[in-house]
Amino acid sequence: PQQGAPAAPSLPPRPGVPEERITLPPVAVNEYRVAFLAPLSGPDGEIGRDLLDAAQLAVTTLAPDDFALMPFDTARPGGARAAMEAALSEGAQLVLGPLLASDVQAASPLARARSVPMISFSNTPEAAGDGNYLMGILPRNQVTRLVRHARSRGVTRFAALAPSNSYGSNMVQALAMATAELGGTVTRVEYYDPAADPTEAVKRLADYDRRSDMLKQQRADQH
């Protein structure tokens, strides 16, 4: 490594492979430094590691020799803010990530203060702006395409099962806008806690209890 180069980052093991550890090559002083912020461990670690694999593949095949990718784990203590502080202290000139909207909100003021652009993986529109750009697919685009396809098949009645967070609210709002534009009716919306079992919300959405009672009555009448 050149004098003054940061130490090579060591990434956490993948779930189910406790002995695996990946060490990336050290970053040279004169390289263009791009920080990669994502949950590389914890509940969302698999998503973050998949994104990192894709980024490393892109660097290998497309990036020039003076391009350095520096990964930072937002799931570690201190989260996205600590990861951003570490990335900026190591001279990051561009930030890819974070993944979650809450992490974007925590990290973006630090990047903005240093005039370092961010391209986050969030799909929450409110996370964009002031030097932060979104790479994620926005809910409006996703829902509009789904509704357009359903309408082409003659579907006119729609329901939504959404997490009780800002992403879920955006999805439901996008469904209402899409059906107003393309035709159709939103007949029911159910929210569920993304950290809990959604079974009861699914049952409410499907009117499970009433349908179950009707089926039991039909079977009783047949006998």
Side-chain angles (χ1 to χ4, degrees), residues 13-217:
R14 284 186 181 276
V17 190
E19 298 302 321
E20 179 193 14
R21 246 184 134 68
I22 300 174
T23 300
L24 300 181
V27 178
V29 171
N30 61 343
E31 288 182 316
Y32 188 82
R33 301 180 182 184
V34 176
F36 180 95
L37 273 62
L40 303 176
S41 59
D44 297 312
E46 185 173 356
I47 298 174
R49 294 297 290 260
D50 285 344
L51 289 170
L52 178 58
D53 287 345
Q56 289 175 314
L57 178 61
V59 169
T60 301
T61 56
L62 300 174
D65 293 338
D66 61 351
F67 186 101
L69 185 69
M70 306 184 301
F72 297 89
D73 187 5
T74 59
R76 289 178 174 176
R81 186 177 179 86
M84 179 62 79
E85 289 175 343
L88 295 174
S89 70
E90 294 192 15
Q93 297 159 280
L94 172 68
V95 176
L96 301 180
L99 172 64
L100 304 177
S102 57
D103 287 345
V104 174
Q105 293 171 354
S108 58
L110 299 176
R112 191 179 305 121
R114 298 278 289 273
S115 299
V116 174
M118 285 177 54
I119 304 176
S120 76
F121 304 118
S122 173
N123 50 18
T124 301
E126 291 79 8
D130 293 329
N132 179 36
Y133 306 91
L134 301 184
M135 189 183 297
I137 300 175
L138 300 181
R140 177 72 189 274
N141 297 337
Q142 291 176 304
V143 173
T144 299
R145 293 187 65 179
L146 288 171
V147 171
R148 181 175 288 113
H149 176 73
R151 292 290 294 119
S152 72
R153 299 298 183 91
V155 176
T156 59
R157 294 166 59 84
F158 297 85
L161 178 65
S164 55
N165 53 27
S166 59
Y167 175 74
S169 297
N170 286 332
M171 292 291 286
V172 172
Q173 183 180 12
L175 178 59
M177 295 174 67
T179 51
E181 177 184 346
L182 301 172
T185 303
V186 179
T187 61
R188 182 170 296 188
V189 175
E190 285 290 343
Y191 291 94
Y192 65 92
D193 182 350
D197 186 349
T199 299
E200 291 304 317
V202 173
K203 286 183 175 180
R204 292 194 302 270
L205 184 70
D207 201 7
Y208 174 84
D209 291 336
R210 184 181 65 83
R211 291 173 182 268
S212 178
D213 290 342
M214 288 178 58
L215 181 59
K216 291 176 182 177
Q217 186 60 49

